[in-house]
Amino acid sequence: MKHGEFTSGTVVGAIGAAAAAYPDEPAIVDEAQTLSYAELWRESARIGERLRARGVTTGDIVALAAERSAALLVGLLGIIRAGAVVLPLDVTYPRARLRMMLDDSGAAMVVGHAHTVEPFVSDGRESCIIPRVFGGGDDLDGDTLTEPDPAYGCYLLYTSGSTGRPKAVLMPHAGIANLVRWQVGASACGVGSRTLQYGAISFDVALQEIFATMASGGTLVCIDDETRRNPVLTWNLMIREEINRIYLPYVGLQSLVMVADEVDLGAARLREIIPGGEQLQCTRALRDLMRRLPDCRLINHYGPVETHAVTCHPLGADPAQWPSLPPIGVPIPGNRAYVLDDDGREAPVGEIGELYIAGAQVSYGYWRQPDQTAERFLPAPDGHGERMYRTGDLARRRDDGTLDFLGRADDQVKVRGFRLELAEVEAELSDHPDVRACGVTVAGDEGIDRILVAFVVAGEGIDTEAVRDDLRARLPEHMVPAVLHVVDALPQVPSGKLDRRRLRVMAETGMTVVDSTSH
């Protein structure tokens, strides 16, 4: 298999072809071991056959709960090789939230380390334990496993829900294969290149970095959570491990940019930095960094969980020429973008409209939520029986077809690289016994300075820090408001609904990050 060649209809087939072509090349590196492609294929087959032997069948939901390691990646491949739909769980999330995802998805099996699956098997679920270090084992060789049908589901990812509950997106094999097929052909990083496994496993970008690397014969280098949280340690690891490519949200890129002056980049081997997940901002510090990495390209990706990455814009060689807010580019092959006005007609070039995506990467919709699926997944305007996804993002098309991203059209926001809907945070906050009413908004500019701000009408003597601690037990840290103000009443529009515009003004003018108990 030559670099850039991808003939399979699924990532399973593509990774199998890479394993056959490059059996001795390193596929995964973590602090405990290095696995070759032959070992990756064999060990993932063992997991897949164990799952099949225990009754897992095509289309079953199987959860993956493991710490960052080679075992996590082998488990991921093993689950989809069994024909199951993988539900990746971030084990750093609160247990109550993970249990809700398991219950909602109907997953009957959890794959992972003994200590990471133990909290979730008490409800009658079965577990499949992955060894931390591979080698030896049974004689299973994967002969009974076949490549999944491209129409089958590949993964289920939860995203913040507009009804106050997270909702899961079901992506078929054909959708993720289209993205990976394009990525393998478009990237300069192929056989023998090294990609940092930076993304959290429950973040769709992680699946892109994992599958695109495995399908091209490259090496995934694992990073532990402690190192990942420290940008200086991350830089040092990337230099030490000669990392060629990294995918990361803009806020993660900003954290690396802020400490780049503390690191000797002379030995850096980076060739591609691929931000996604939120609007890219080309700051002076980012331009300075890229000038210090003259052999590295900055490639802007865009795409919601419902379609994964669907547009691409490589920035030019001269950082001095980059705009502060670069475009998101044009759709990758197999996808189409529509910019529609309020009447559902194509907006003229240069005019702002809402962005809709159609084509190969439109997911099957929201798991067990037909009403919300029907609301967001609509017939494409040019017929042919295809569906398009209504992103809720505002965009503008240039004369050459390039798309500019202009922010959200609704109350969905991005904080620290994570997309969330304010209704979900408000639902959890309203559940607190001392909170009578609440409204949540954001303050600060897009990127690293953006925070969540909550306003609550509450009983006398409310302990706001205790309220935030209560939220931490039920929500990921990025969904816990950094600031909590107690007010007498929430602003309303004439219809009686919450006045979110006024709430945002209140947050911007009255916000004090150091004082989260301001009244």
Side-chain angles (χ1 to χ4, degrees):
M1 183 178 70
K2 297 179 181 179
H3 171 59
E5 182 180 352
F6 187 133
T7 59
S8 175
T10 72
V11 292
V12 171
I15 297 168
Y22 317 115
D24 298 323
E25 287 287 331
I28 307 172
V29 174
D30 71 8
E31 60 183 8
Q33 64 201 309
T34 297
L35 291 182
S36 68
Y37 270 88
E39 291 168 327
L40 166 65
W41 196 245
R42 183 186 68 236
E43 298 298 340
S44 64
R46 286 175 171 165
I47 292 173
E49 290 201 339
R50 285 170 60 193
L51 293 175
R52 280 288 189 175
R54 296 176 63 178
V56 171
T57 61
T58 299
D60 284 352
I61 308 296
V62 174
L64 176 64
E67 295 172 343
R68 290 177 168 275
S69 62
L72 174 72
L73 307 181
V74 173
L76 173 69
L77 182 56
I79 291 171
I80 62 174
R81 288 190 67 187
V85 178
V86 64
L87 168 60
L89 299 177
D90 187 335
V91 295
T92 66
Y93 276 20
R95 288 185 182 180
R97 187 174 180 85
L98 297 178
R99 187 168 282 110
M100 182 281 302
M101 294 177 182
L102 289 167
D103 291 341
D104 181 74
S105 68
M109 178 79 69
V110 185
V111 174
H113 307 306
H115 71 284
T116 55
V117 304
E118 186 276 331
F120 310 115
V121 297
S122 58
D123 299 331
R125 296 184 186 89
E126 294 189 54
S127 63
C128 178
I129 306 303
I130 314 173
R132 285 191 171 277
V133 179
F134 295 97
D138 49 45
D139 295 328
L140 297 174
D141 58 13
D143 284 347
T144 66
L145 302 178
T146 58
E147 183 178 350
D149 188 301
Y152 292 170
C154 179
Y155 65 77
L156 195 69
L157 287 183
Y158 275 83
T159 184
S160 189
S162 58
T163 61
R165 282 181 60 83
K167 55 183 183 284
V169 174
L170 177 62
M171 178 65 75
H173 277 277
I176 186 64
N178 186 79
L179 171 61
V180 172
R181 181 183 300 108
W182 165 80
Q183 183 72 93
V184 168
S187 177
C189 296
V191 181
S193 67
R194 297 166 74 84
T195 297
L196 189 64
Q197 205 285 283
Y198 184 89
I201 193 62
S202 61
F203 193 26
D204 59 350
V205 172
L207 300 178
Q208 181 183 2
E209 71 184 6
I210 292 167
F211 291 144
T213 303
M214 289 182 177
S216 64
T219 303
L220 282 162
V221 178
C222 298
I223 181 173
D224 61 63
D225 283 319
E226 180 180 358
T227 301
R228 186 177 180 273
R229 286 191 293 266
N230 186 316
V232 173
L233 295 180
T234 299
W235 268 120
N236 290 335
L237 181 144
M238 288 197 293
I239 293 171
R240 183 173 66 252
E241 294 290 344
E242 299 186 332
I243 297 299
N244 306 122
R245 178 171 64 184
I246 180 172
Y247 299 79
L248 74 177
Y250 171 68
V251 66
L253 176 58
Q254 278 293 86
S255 68
L256 292 178
V257 168
M258 290 171 62
V259 300
D261 289 340
E262 303 176 32
V263 180
D264 180 5
L265 298 181
R269 296 292 180 264
L270 276 171
R271 295 296 176 265
E272 293 178 350
I273 297 176
I274 304 175
E278 59 188 330
Q279 188 168 21
L280 175 63
Q281 299 178 35
C282 292
T283 63
R284 179 181 299 179
L286 176 57
R287 293 187 181 96
D288 289 344
L289 168 64
M290 297 307 296
R291 275 192 284 265
R292 296 173 63 196
L293 298 170
D295 297 325
C296 184
R297 294 193 305 163
L298 185 66
I299 307 169
N300 194 23
H301 283 190
Y302 162 86
V305 176
E306 289 83 354
T307 65
H308 216 318
V310 285
T311 73
C312 172
H313 180 75
L315 278 82
D318 183 6
Q321 302 300 315
W322 295 350
S324 297
L325 295 175
I328 57 175
V330 297
I332 68 174
N335 298 287
R336 294 179 306 287
Y338 303 94
V339 180
L340 305 182
D341 63 20
D342 292 340
D343 296 320
R345 295 175 297 202
E346 187 73 27
V349 170
E351 296 293 325
I352 297 174
E354 189 170 349
L355 183 60
Y356 294 72
I357 302 296
Q361 289 172 221
V362 175
S363 68
Y364 283 149
Y366 301 120
W367 182 249
R368 294 176 173 175
Q369 296 197 39
D371 291 343
Q372 289 200 46
T373 297
E375 179 184 337
R376 305 298 293 191
F377 293 81
L378 308 170
D382 48 7
H384 307 299
E386 289 192 315
R387 297 152 66 243
M388 63 180 181
Y389 172 65
R390 181 179 185 179
T391 69
D393 290 329
L394 299 177
R396 177 176 52 217
R397 196 184 301 274
R398 299 182 180 182
D399 289 334
D400 63 358
T402 298
L403 296 167
D404 289 312
F405 174 81
L406 301 171
R408 294 293 300 165
D410 55 21
D411 295 324
Q412 212 171 57
V413 298
K414 285 185 178 176
V415 175
R416 291 170 17 197
F418 294 92
R419 191 182 78 177
L420 58 90
E421 286 182 338
L422 300 174
E424 186 179 357
V425 182
E426 289 169 350
E428 294 289 350
L429 185 55
S430 296
D431 198 45
H432 192 279
D434 292 331
V435 174
R436 297 173 181 169
C438 70
V440 179
T441 187
V442 291
D445 296 328
E446 284 272 357
I448 198 166
D449 294 322
R450 172 165 281 193
I451 64 170
L452 280 181
V453 179
F455 294 86
V456 300
V457 179
E460 187 175 348
I462 185 174
D463 184 341
T464 55
E465 278 304 309
V467 173
R468 295 175 70 241
D469 287 342
D470 180 71
L471 288 176
R472 287 191 182 95
R474 292 177 283 136
L475 293 174
E477 186 62 30
H478 68 269
M479 296 180 72
V480 177
V483 181
L484 198 154
H485 297 288
V486 179
V487 294
D488 294 329
L490 297 174
Q492 297 179 349
V493 295
S495 66
K497 295 182 180 180
L498 180 65
D499 187 344
R500 291 195 177 277
R501 186 186 299 271
R502 175 59 183 161
L503 206 67
R504 177 70 182 269
V505 172
M506 291 167 59
E508 294 283 4
T509 57
M511 179 185 65
T512 52
V513 175
V514 296
D515 179 14
S516 62
T517 61
S518 175
H519 287 220

